Amino acid sequence: MVQQARQSIPLNLGPLGETVIRRTYARAKQDGGIEDWYDICARVVNGNCSLVDSRFIEPEEPQKLFHLMVTMQIIPAGRHLWATGIHKYRQFVNNCFVADFTDEFHKHFTYTFLRLMEGGGVGANYSDRFIHSNPNQVNGYWVPDTVVNLHFLCSPNHQDIDRPVGAESDEPFRTLRDMLSTRYPVDYDGAENGNYLRVDDSREGWAEALEKLLQLHLSGRGEVDFVVDVGNVRPYGAELKGFGGKASGPGALMVMLYRINRLLNSRTGTPLSSLDYMEIDHYIAQAVIAGGTRRSARMSMKWWTDKDIFEFIHCKRDFRLHWTTNISVVVDDEFFRAVRNRKHPLHGWANRVLDEVIEGMLTNGEPGFINASQCEVDEAPGATFYSTNPCVTENTLVLTDRGMVPVKELRDEFTAVYNGEFFHSSGFFSTGKKPVYEVLTVQGSRLEATADHRLLVERDGTKQWVPISDLKPGDSVVIQGAIVADDEFDSLQDMLSLLGSESSDGTEFIWLPDKVDPYRWKAHLNMLGIKSVLVYRPSLDTWSLRIDKQYMRQARQAMRLRRLNRTSKKHRGEWLEQVQQVSPLGEMEVYDCTVEGAHCYVSNGFVSHNCGEIAMMRYPDMRSFDVCCLGHVNLAFAEDPVECFRLMSRFLLRATFAELSDELTRQNVQRNRRIGVGFLGFHEWLVKHGIRYSEASSSPWVARQLRKFREVVREEARRYARQMRIAEPIKCTTVAPTGTINNIPGVTSGIQPLYSPFYIRRVRYSNSDTELQRVLERGDYHHVESAINEPNTTVVSYVCRDITVDRLVSHLGDYEQVLSLLESQFDLDVSDFLRVQELVQREYADNAVSITINISAEEQRADRIRELLLLYLPRLKGVTMFPESSRPQSPLERISREQYELSATRVQNASYEEDCSTGACPVK
């Protein structure tokens, strides 16, 4: 197929596509050549399909995947392009990791170090409740108690001995030789004190050195020497065979250990703070970046009520500090209540947090916001992102294989019934006292639950999960029930004995006895799958239930057949009822569960979503070292988007079977199977259908398409998981920043609008990258300079016209028409960005939606940004804003059409490589 494709399928690469493929994803072949795009696609498809037994591969599925990849209608994330199909490296197919804090102080840091060295991105939550994880200290603090005297050894003949090591001006060394010990000889073997380590030339060897240093600082020994021999570490620029890239040399490791040791020595006897943890992680990331071939993608977050939140918000005011991470403040529903309610005890604090974050956004793009309450939606029971769980009260009836049973009797394992099928649950658990709301339908169905509890609702002809807080009068909720247990036949028979005569509309009715709960009777009929309407007659002060004869006839027939043993078929009924009102009831103790496979259950007849569906979560029984793997559908190129989304869902679910090097990560993956099916080229897709970006949020067609894509991914993931007898993915859809991937076809990243039809683009190259020399020889660049704060890196600038313009001209036929439809992000208001993000979050993504809202100078008004954040952020999982040209050497700088046409070195260029606002994104 590779040979046939080369002859029959021309590649539709973006202008930077070939460069990206060659420098980032192409591997050496056995015949001595280098892979091209056809080879990469074949390797990835074969490798992915080999992760599971062949009986789980559809007929012609590999061939379909290969064709879609070659034509760039689907593109797995760069981690797959780089590692899939290489057996010894297929544990590196995941993109996003989260590093928790455990009762082993070193675990967070060594895990972060390893994942960054492997090219992954790592997120960490530095909130007080997480970092204070010391089981032997009352407050959980970690307190360094030992001063460590660090000594380095290295052969004087090492190639890097006189190489500069990137020291800061206040550090007493400049070269590797300057850092060597004057106390211990080069042939020292550790006999004197045992605190000796000869570093192995591997990722694991570097992590071992870090682990040993961290352990010594909490060893209770007062003061010790630690001798580290780096003589075995290969020199700077040496090829990393197989894994790819160039070596950082021993200097990067030595500087990292020196800086971390200096910090911890200065904190001896003092509890470590969140900023101390972040500083250690920063030094780790600097060591990874120092080789110049790998970038370091980190996300740091902190809870809004932490006492040092303002130090966190301000930690990047000096751009030289913490530049290896993006930062975000974690907020929740309580934050928004505090901001709005002057009587709230944290009103002043919350408003100060909001104002100072906005100031940071408008100054340098950080911090961003992460909404914990939205991230919590669909997560597993007990998962912690510091928010409430969606819950119901203890008397709520749940449909089980034993019939309808109240929540308070389902604390142990039980079998839930949904759609006539059986699903295991580990049982309900209390989540404490929380505000509870009553949902009441016109027909008399009633449910008590928390505001974030989601119900199955039919809107615009499709079923979707809607939080109770978003329900409106007239919404159509799904009601469902079934007769599944023998004793329920007797219960139904008792009800039938109370039936009165037929009413004028052909329904039958039950006059309810005095002193009974009419809503409970209505719930019983719902749970039995019998449609009814609860009626109150004020003149008689009586209640009755009008029963639909068709549903009753079906129930009676099922009863007769069951008793005659002619069938075991269960009666099941489903219908819609209209919401009458949602009203608060006050605080009550509430309960939640997870239902494996279905992730929902029937409660009082309502179909309730449990909380068992990339925010990573922490569990009561397991720390969070979770991962997510990503893949994308290129909407700009996709001929059959639905099939593309379906096959990408299968591709990513298979990828969860790749080997994992960490046991805690393996446990998280087996529980959650997180995947993130996303898309590229959204803006071009809109324009091809005659829709401006600013009009997308009000387009019913766009909303329907996004819902269709989401349901295809979810249903295929559910079906495929059942086929393979594994847990259904807890979350499936996302819109992620796509790194270099969108540059292969030259389309916009995710839902990002076109930056500008004309711009200056800055591309970073390692000084050891052979591609840099090729670029310089080609000579079509605008400017060349050394990178600020990134050692051994060169920045090359190009004057560009975005290739999207040319493709759309080819499709629509008119250059001026394209420019009038193709709004750039600077033609858009901030509210346009937020409306589109909200649309995609609501209709498509169960994980987060990544978009960077670039703000022009005219829009940098704090009061307006504040107003918009309070309007949209409560419904989003996060918001990132970035002021134009707020950082030196920004990846992009827009120019006018006239400036482009006057440039002597102009090029057609793909849309930009998605750099994070700090420049801290992974190469792959």
Side-chain angles (χ1 to χ4, degrees):
M1 285 192 69
V2 172
Q3 294 294 57
Q4 292 173 359
R6 282 201 183 98
Q7 297 169 8
S8 60
I9 305 177
L11 297 184
N12 195 10
L13 293 169
L16 287 180
E18 183 180 353
T19 297
V20 169
I21 290 168
R22 184 171 54 250
R23 81 168 189 175
T24 309
Y25 304 116
R27 290 183 171 273
K29 298 198 294 186
Q30 291 183 349
D31 62 7
I34 300 295
E35 289 179 328
D36 60 12
W37 181 243
Y38 304 97
D39 294 318
I40 292 170
C41 294
R43 167 171 57 78
V44 170
V45 170
N46 286 333
N48 177 266
C49 290
S50 72
L51 292 171
V52 300
D53 191 277
S54 59
R55 71 180 184 275
F56 298 128
I57 305 297
E58 291 180 342
E60 301 298 313
E61 184 173 6
Q63 292 85 346
K64 292 177 184 176
L65 285 170
F66 177 75
H67 175 77
L68 292 174
M69 278 192 64
V70 167
T71 55
M72 297 171 222
Q73 298 181 61
I74 64 171
I75 308 180
R79 303 284 287 168
H80 300 280
L81 300 181
W82 176 65
T84 300
I86 307 297
H87 182 76
K88 67 182 293 188
Y89 297 120
R90 64 184 189 180
Q91 69 266 37
F92 305 131
V93 302
N94 294 293
N95 289 71
C96 343
F97 297 81
V98 61
D100 206 341
F101 298 89
T102 73
D103 57 3
E104 294 182 279
F105 177 69
H106 71 84
K107 177 64 177 179
H108 163 87
F109 302 105
T110 53
Y111 183 89
T112 297
F113 196 18
L114 285 166
R115 303 295 84 79
L116 290 176
M117 285 192 287
E118 294 164 0
V122 180
N125 193 322
Y126 298 92
S127 299
D128 291 348
R129 68 193 73 184
F130 276 15
I131 64 172
H132 298 155
S133 59
N134 186 351
N136 301 315
Q137 213 274 349
V138 175
N139 296 312
Y141 296 134
W142 290 100
V143 183
D145 55 22
T146 302
V147 173
V148 178
N149 302 311
L150 188 59
H151 297 268
F152 293 110
L153 304 180
C154 185
S155 167
N157 298 320
H158 194 285
Q159 185 174 321
D160 285 358
I161 194 69
D162 290 313
R163 181 178 182 82
V165 292
E168 299 291 342
S169 59
D170 61 341
E171 291 174 330
F173 52 83
R174 290 294 173 267
T175 67
L176 188 153
R177 187 189 300 273
D178 296 336
M179 301 184 73
L180 298 183
S181 174
T182 57
R183 175 178 177 181
Y184 294 91
V186 71
D187 59 350
Y188 177 73
D189 61 2
E192 183 176 328
N193 61 19
N195 297 326
Y196 167 84
L197 178 68
R198 187 171 180 83
V199 178
D200 184 60
D201 187 28
S202 65
R203 294 183 301 278
E204 294 75 16
W206 284 40
E208 182 185 10
L210 175 61
E211 177 179 339
K212 180 71 171 176
L213 176 65
L214 296 174
Q215 288 175 332
L216 284 172
H217 275 283
L218 286 102
S219 62
R221 297 170 62 179
E223 184 173 357
V224 297
D225 286 358
F226 180 33
V227 183
V228 180
D229 189 336
V230 298
N232 281 346
V233 178
R234 75 191 76 183
Y236 173 83
E239 183 180 358
L240 300 176
K241 296 181 179 179
F243 198 80
K246 304 293 183 179
S248 302
L253 173 64
M254 295 164 68
V255 171
M256 179 196 77
L257 295 176
Y258 169 85
R259 290 171 176 168
I260 292 173
N261 187 63
R262 178 183 59 186
L263 170 67
L264 293 177
N265 279 343
S266 72
R267 299 294 190 270
T268 302
T270 304
L272 293 174
S273 70
S274 59
L275 272 295
D276 293 332
Y277 284 81
M278 287 180 61
E279 190 170 343
I280 294 172
D281 281 342
H282 173 65
Y283 294 144
I284 289 170
Q286 278 185 306
V288 174
I289 293 170
T293 310
R294 292 164 295 194
R295 305 284 290 286
S296 173
R298 292 178 50 231
M299 167 61 80
S300 302
M301 59 203 77
K302 191 165 179 60
W303 192 243
W304 69 279
T305 60
D306 282 359
K307 62 182 181 298
D308 57 348
I309 187 61
F310 298 108
E311 287 86 347
F312 175 82
I313 291 171
H314 303 152
C315 73
K316 295 184 71 172
R317 284 187 170 178
D318 184 341
F319 186 56
R320 296 170 299 178
L321 301 176
H322 299 291
W323 52 265
T324 60
T325 185
N326 293 334
I327 64 172
S328 287
V329 173
V330 182
V331 298
D332 64 348
D333 291 341
E334 191 65 26
F335 171 81
F336 298 108
R337 285 192 287 270
V339 168
R340 295 187 176 102
N341 184 357
R342 292 181 179 275
K343 295 182 179 180
H344 195 288
L346 292 176
H347 175 72
W349 183 277
N351 277 277
R352 183 184 169 195
V353 168
L354 177 60
D355 291 339
E356 296 208 17
V357 170
I358 291 172
E359 181 185 353
M361 285 179 167
L362 296 177
T363 303
N364 59 18
E366 291 190 271
F369 277 115
I370 292 177
N371 185 342
S373 294
Q374 284 296 313
C375 291
E376 176 81 4
V377 173
D378 291 339
E379 281 295 340
T384 303
F385 210 123
Y386 331 132
S387 73
T388 59
N389 290 324
C391 310
V392 294
T393 54
E394 66 175 2
N395 291 319
T396 304
L397 296 175
V398 175
L399 191 59
T400 75
D401 61 343
R402 296 182 282 131
M404 61 188 90
V405 182
V407 164
K408 61 186 175 183
E409 298 177 16
L410 295 174
R411 303 297 183 89
D412 298 321
E413 291 183 300
F414 70 94
T415 300
V417 178
Y418 170 65
N419 271 343
E421 298 184 44
F422 297 89
F423 301 92
H424 176 264
S425 174
S426 57
F428 280 87
F429 55 92
S430 172
T431 62
K433 284 190 174 183
K434 297 176 184 175
V436 170
Y437 294 79
E438 175 193 70
V439 179
L440 184 64
T441 69
V442 173
Q443 293 78 10
S445 295
R446 183 175 181 271
L447 182 70
E448 298 174 350
T450 53
D452 50 2
H453 190 81
R454 298 205 294 167
L455 301 178
L456 192 60
V457 174
E458 185 170 297
R459 285 179 175 171
D460 300 324
T462 62
K463 292 178 179 178
Q464 52 190 283
W465 296 106
V466 178
I468 285 175
S469 59
D470 288 350
L471 288 178
K472 300 177 179 62
D475 272 342
S476 297
V477 293
V478 176
I479 304 294
Q480 187 185 117
I483 303 177
V484 294
D486 289 338
D487 58 358
E488 290 195 328
F489 288 90
D490 298 328
S491 172
L492 181 57
Q493 191 62 47
D494 292 340
M495 271 194 175
L496 296 179
S497 66
L498 299 173
L499 279 175
S501 59
E502 290 190 15
S503 62
S504 59
D505 61 1
T507 59
E508 297 182 271
F509 64 89
I510 298 174
W511 291 100
L512 299 183
D514 293 337
K515 299 180 181 179
V516 300
D517 182 354
Y519 296 105
R520 197 70 170 176
W521 279 66
K522 166 64 172 166
H524 272 269
L525 282 175
N526 287 348
M527 301 291 279
L528 293 169
I530 299 174
K531 184 178 179 181
S532 64
V533 177
L534 184 63
V535 180
Y536 176 63
R537 290 175 171 78
S539 60
L540 301 175
D541 192 24
T542 59
W543 293 86
S544 64
L545 280 163
R546 292 167 44 191
I547 301 173
D548 188 290
K549 290 183 64 175
Q550 178 183 351
Y551 284 81
M552 181 58 75
R553 189 182 308 115
Q554 293 171 353
R556 284 170 167 159
Q557 179 68 12
M559 289 171 60
R560 285 195 293 269
L561 293 176
R562 179 91 170 200
R563 286 185 169 147
L564 291 172
N565 292 321
R566 290 172 55 185
T567 180
S568 60
K569 184 177 180 181
K570 305 168 183 62
H571 167 68
R572 173 183 170 275
E574 182 177 299
W575 61 94
L576 299 177
E577 293 187 1
Q578 286 64 52
V579 174
Q580 180 177 346
Q581 65 182 34
V582 177
S583 53
L585 294 178
E587 285 200 351
M588 302 182 189
E589 187 166 14
V590 288
Y591 302 81
D592 201 6
C593 75
T594 184
V595 179
E596 298 171 10
H599 296 303
C600 60
Y601 56 93
V602 177
S603 54
N604 286 3
F606 295 82
V607 181
S608 290
H609 206 295
N610 72 171
C611 60
E613 275 258 33
I614 219 158
M616 306 299 185
M617 298 289 147
R618 173 189 267 195
Y619 302 100
D621 61 334
M622 184 169 66
R623 297 301 173 95
S624 182
F625 289 87
D626 209 351
V627 300
C628 181
C629 58
L630 305 174
H632 317 282
V633 174
N634 183 359
L635 289 176
F637 288 14
E639 298 169 5
D640 182 356
V642 169
E643 181 67 356
C644 290
F645 278 102
R646 188 184 76 85
L647 289 173
M648 184 52 70
S649 180
R650 295 172 61 85
F651 179 100
L652 293 181
L653 193 53
R654 284 193 294 270
T656 66
F657 286 89
E659 291 92 343
L660 293 162
S661 54
D662 185 87
E663 176 59 21
L664 286 173
T665 302
R666 186 188 65 80
Q667 293 173 13
N668 276 261
V669 168
Q670 288 188 338
R671 172 181 285 194
N672 296 327
R673 300 282 176 184
R674 294 182 191 272
I675 62 174
V677 180
F679 50 79
L680 316 164
F682 176 74
H683 194 179
E684 186 171 340
W685 176 68
L686 291 176
V687 175
K688 280 185 174 180
H689 290 88
I691 301 170
R692 289 183 171 89
Y693 193 94
S694 59
E695 300 168 345
S697 61
S698 59
S699 167
W701 179 83
V702 173
R704 287 196 302 272
Q705 295 303 306
L706 292 173
R707 284 198 298 273
K708 182 193 302 181
F709 300 155
R710 178 195 66 203
E711 292 305 318
V712 165
V713 171
R714 168 56 67 189
E715 289 304 316
E716 186 61 28
R718 177 176 292 127
R719 190 192 68 80
Y720 201 23
R722 288 178 182 172
Q723 180 186 356
M724 293 191 288
R725 302 295 190 271
I726 61 172
E728 178 185 345
I730 203 162
K731 288 189 177 178
C732 292
T733 51
T734 190
V735 178
T738 51
T740 57
I741 293 302
N742 57 288
N743 279 318
I744 295 176
V747 299
T748 51
S749 171
I751 63 169
Q752 206 77 33
L754 190 74
Y755 175 78
S756 175
F758 313 100
Y759 52 87
I760 292 175
R761 169 191 171 80
R762 297 181 179 91
V763 182
R764 286 162 166 75
Y765 296 91
S766 166
N767 291 351
S768 61
D769 191 342
T770 56
E771 185 65 24
L772 174 61
Q773 187 59 39
R774 196 181 76 86
V775 166
L776 296 178
E777 291 173 357
R778 192 172 60 209
D780 59 354
Y781 55 85
H782 173 67
H783 183 66
V784 177
E785 60 185 333
S786 297
I788 300 172
N789 284 326
E790 291 183 70
N792 309 308
T793 303
T794 294
V795 178
V796 181
S797 300
Y798 302 88
V799 174
C800 309
R801 183 177 75 203
D802 199 289
I803 194 174
T804 303
V805 175
D806 301 285
R807 278 198 303 265
L808 287 171
V809 169
S810 177
H811 183 79
L812 298 176
D814 187 285
Y815 185 59
E816 299 301 330
Q817 179 192 12
V818 167
L819 291 182
S820 67
L821 280 172
L822 192 60
E823 300 164 309
S824 80
Q825 65 183 34
F826 299 103
D827 299 319
L828 300 168
D829 186 75
V830 174
S831 61
D832 294 322
F833 286 84
L834 291 168
R835 281 197 297 269
V836 169
Q837 185 179 0
E838 181 188 34
L839 167 75
V840 178
Q841 186 76 79
R842 182 181 70 245
E843 305 293 354
Y844 177 75
D846 54 15
N847 286 289
V849 174
S850 174
I851 182 172
T852 299
I853 302 172
N854 289 276
I855 309 171
S856 65
E858 307 85 63
E859 293 173 317
Q860 294 184 18
R861 302 195 317 271
D863 57 340
R864 173 153 168 73
I865 299 301
R866 192 181 211 277
E867 176 185 347
L868 290 170
L869 286 175
L870 288 177
L871 178 62
Y872 288 99
L873 183 56
R875 300 189 295 277
L876 300 174
K877 296 190 177 182
V879 169
T880 300
M881 295 186 182
F882 187 65
E884 183 186 11
S885 300
S886 66
R887 296 276 175 82
Q889 298 182 335
S890 292
L892 298 174
E893 179 185 341
R894 62 172 169 150
I895 58 175
S896 68
R897 177 177 177 178
E898 291 73 22
Q899 287 174 297
Y900 170 79
E901 291 174 350
L902 289 172
S903 173
T905 58
R906 64 178 185 260
V907 296
Q908 290 173 271
N909 201 330
S911 60
Y912 62 95
E913 179 177 341
E914 174 81 356
D915 278 344
C916 295
S917 57
T918 58
C921 276
V923 166
K924 298 177 175 63

